[in-house]
Amino acid sequence: MTAADLVQEAPYRFRIEPAGAMRVPGVVFASRELVDAADRAIGQVADVATLPGIVDASYAMPDVHWGYGFAIGGVAATDPRDGGVVSPGGVGFDISCGVRLLAADIDAAALAPVLADVMDGLDPAIPRGMGRGAVWHLPGRDELTGILTGGSGYAVERGHGVERDLLRCEDEGAVADADPGRVSERAVERGARQVGSLGSGNHFLEVQRVAEVYDADVAAAFGIRRDQICVMIHCGSRGLGHQICTDHVREMERAMPGHGIEVPDRQLACAPVESPEGRAYLGAMAAAANYGRANRQLLAEAARAVFRRAAGARLDLVYDVSHNLAKIEDHVVAGRRRRLCVHRKGATRALPPGHPDLPGDLRDAGQPVLIPGTMGTSSYVLTGVAGAPAFASTCHGAGRAQSRHQAARGVDGKNLRAAMERDGIAVRASSWRGLAEEHPGAYKDVSAVVEAAEGAGLCRKVARLVPVGVVKG
DNA sequence: ATGTAC
């Protein structure tokens, strides 16, 4: 199964006909160029179509690329009342990895004279990289429980943020039904010292400038305008989420024969949503999701303190949304309302205008969808559209074009930083090797991804942001 | 993504 097996149905829509054990078709939203870049991920989209209880189609977003079991950029919904399964591979190892955008009350011109001070303030204030500490150090399970059940709300309760922040968070900052009892001791140990830390790889905190506004009314509702300074934070649930994924994949591999489930790839390990293993995973996953949200809340507070001190500026939350999560949601499929388990792995929820889960001040505009690009290029703010396919989902980023190893070959981190600084982008990196692995050429063109997502009717462009300062793990 | 290996 490769890109050659895809039939083009529309300018940005390709179809994989059901064959073999596939229960539904595969649908890939992409341009011809992006489909050709998807490579091995196409076979994974077909594999996901074999999962018990899958509804409608196995979907892939324009930034789809190969991942653990499920492709990154995949969306799959199952019906629990029809034996539908939940699969940790459909969420990914970095549970609730996502993006938070804050808008400053100053423009780029006003920040310029103090940018170096802001960057020098962020450098020590934003813990990142491997094992380098965090905003909070919690001794153990008891101290972590508030975070695992309360997410961003718990951080706010403890003085890290304001109530309004929660209105601008997906799920108001916490997924319900978190079950800390399903989080292993090992996951707790790994997570206890990492609350409020970026991590590494493609995770970052960037100071950005709004370079272009495509829809002024929606942008105004989101609280952003041209030339304004914003802060974008991209990070997840660190070692805790990783350990939860590992634990529950193992558990489901053991349980699958008892449920009579066969999958074409071991990495698609899954269990019925309505089974002990399925419920255990969803409870632990929700706890990791809340950890990820609290993580972004604490890092946002750290950035706020720096901006207040170094620039006399305030940062208001635009939105916080995950792109690695499974959620129980209501959707109308073929005219019938159904409660489904929607897996989004490297895909962003994009609620349309009027959706009841949106806060009042965003009801007419739709949900802010935050798309991190690569350092040195652009990031995007999008919004959901009515009547979109794929269970109100869209892309999540540029998507890698080269492996980490390939990317670092022939690129020197120090030279890369110097080149970016010459282009007017301040860089505070914690690892030269890590920086080299993230050079923009290692990624697909995020603008082409967003173009395809909009062309496919998944979302609409609202604004484009460019980096002025990059803080990397 | 990830104490880059159970």
Side-chain angles (χ1 to χ4, degrees), chain A residues 121-128 135 196-198 205 233 298-300 302-303 306 471:
Chain A
L122 291 171
D123 196 9
I126 303 299
R128 57 200 192 276
V135 174
S197 65
L198 271 186
L205 181 149
I233 298 169
L298 288 169
L299 291 171
V306 171
V471 178

Side-chain angles (χ1 to χ4, degrees), chain A residues 254-273:
Chain A
R254 272 201 294 265
M256 267 196 299
H259 293 299
I261 296 172
E262 282 183 48
V263 289
D265 177 352
R266 280 184 60 133
Q267 296 184 350
L268 295 173
C270 58
V273 171

